[in-house]
Amino acid sequence: MKLVSVYNFVLIILLLINNCAKAQSINGDTIYVDSKTVVAVRFPSLPSTFYTNPADAPYNLITLPTGFTIIAKKKNTAPATLTVTEGKRTHNFVIFYKKDLDHTNLSETDYDFSTVKKLKQHVKEREEREKKYNEMVESADKLFEQQDYENAKVSYSQALLILSRPWPADQLKKITKLSKKVKKKRN
């Protein structure tokens, strides 16, 4: 009986450790780069792997003691996904070329997840932004369905400020087209 209890206890601890590691993983963040500025991405431990998809994405990745640097090989490179494994965590990013990256602004050139505390805080803030974004999009979608385009436009714009995603941007384009049609009908 005691052996089963110890086994269950160890199993629960392993599951908790695994869930904690997953909870510290970054999923879907954007890293902005250009072809002139080296951008640093730092983690609590040395990444064991990092790779882009497509594999031949035009970015130079150079290993640092606890992370890596990244720079675009040329101007206006196409977006790519980046997967990084460090410690027991796997992080997934999207790399975007940004024409006017501010090399004097550390928030644009130094992605500092160098401690577990910073990593946890970033993941928590990301989850909060994701929740707020989803609430704004849900509200905007309802307004759009009700043909309240002006208020839908405000909500989609607010959602874009929280997280830059294609859906609100596409909906804003639709609203602009619908507004033009309505104006033509009135004239």
Side-chain angles (χ1 to χ4, degrees):
M1 192 74 137
K2 287 185 177 183
L3 185 59
V4 172
S5 297
V6 170
Y7 174 78
N8 286 340
F9 177 75
V10 170
L11 184 61
I12 289 170
I13 295 299
L14 289 173
L15 288 171
L16 288 173
I17 290 170
N18 190 33
N19 285 338
C20 287
K22 287 181 181 176
Q24 297 169 10
S25 294
I26 299 169
N27 191 17
D29 278 20
T30 302
I31 297 175
Y32 293 103
V33 298
D34 70 9
S35 57
K36 299 176 287 189
T37 306
V38 174
V39 174
V41 184
R42 298 182 288 145
F43 297 101
S45 60
L46 177 66
S48 55
T49 63
F50 51 91
Y51 57 89
T52 60
N53 187 9
D56 62 347
Y59 299 97
N60 284 329
L61 299 161
I62 300 170
T63 305
L64 294 175
T66 59
F68 58 91
T69 61
I70 185 169
I71 189 167
K73 290 182 181 178
K74 59 183 181 178
K75 291 182 179 180
N76 300 319
T77 55
T81 61
L82 172 67
T83 302
V84 179
T85 304
E86 65 85 27
K88 294 182 180 181
R89 297 171 284 270
T90 300
H91 310 287
N92 295 296
F93 299 94
V94 180
I95 309 168
F96 277 105
Y97 186 86
K98 184 176 180 183
K99 183 179 178 183
D100 297 318
L101 193 67
D102 183 358
H103 69 278
T104 62
N105 183 350
L106 284 180
S107 69
E108 287 196 19
T109 60
D110 185 16
Y111 294 84
D112 184 5
F113 314 115
S114 60
T115 65
V116 173
K117 183 178 179 180
K118 287 180 181 181
L119 192 56
K120 284 180 178 180
Q121 182 64 30
H122 177 79
V123 170
K124 181 181 176 188
E125 289 170 0
R126 171 69 182 199
E127 288 169 352
E128 290 168 2
R129 283 192 315 271
E130 189 81 34
K131 182 180 176 187
K132 183 69 175 164
Y133 167 86
N134 288 334
E135 289 170 359
M136 294 304 303
V137 168
E138 187 177 318
S139 172
D141 287 345
K142 286 178 184 175
L143 292 165
F144 187 87
E145 288 173 18
Q146 297 167 356
Q147 298 181 349
D148 183 354
Y149 299 125
E150 286 303 312
N151 287 322
K153 184 176 179 179
V154 170
S155 292
Y156 284 127
S157 296
Q158 290 173 338
L160 272 175
L161 290 174
I162 297 168
L163 290 173
S164 181
R165 299 263 174 88
W167 177 255
D170 292 345
Q171 291 300 95
L172 286 169
K173 289 176 188 175
K174 286 180 187 177
I175 290 171
T176 300
K177 287 179 183 179
L178 289 169
S179 296
K180 287 179 183 179
K181 285 181 183 179
V182 168
K183 285 181 184 178
K184 282 184 181 181
K185 286 182 180 179
R186 288 181 185 163
N187 294 334

